Amino acid sequence: MGKDTGQRNDADDDHVIAAAVAAHADLIVTGDCKHLLPIGTHQGIAIVTARELVDRLDARSKT
């Protein structure tokens, strides 16, 4: 998976990350290839594309 740098590239995305942390989310699903996706993970929360989410759900349904 990605690396947790602890840093974000766009202050406008802080509310997205803060909400995910507050909600104890497992994932942040985004199309933000410039800022959020390169982070990879934040505090153990994976940051993924919609395609990655579908793939994860598909793999889960096969187990």
Side-chain angles (χ1 to χ4, degrees):
M1 199 157 295
K3 61 183 182 219
D4 186 348
T5 64
Q7 298 177 357
R8 295 172 299 282
N9 298 323
D10 186 355
D12 292 338
D13 295 328
D14 286 350
H15 68 281
V16 173
I17 294 172
V21 170
H24 305 283
D26 295 320
L27 298 168
I28 296 173
V29 180
T30 183
D32 186 346
C33 297
K34 187 173 181 183
H35 301 112
L36 284 175
L37 286 169
I39 296 171
T41 63
H42 180 80
Q43 294 186 13
I45 301 169
I47 302 172
V48 302
T49 64
R51 175 79 258 163
E52 289 174 280
L53 173 61
V54 169
D55 291 345
R56 287 175 181 227
L57 293 173
D58 186 46
R60 181 187 279 182
S61 71
K62 294 179 181 178
T63 59

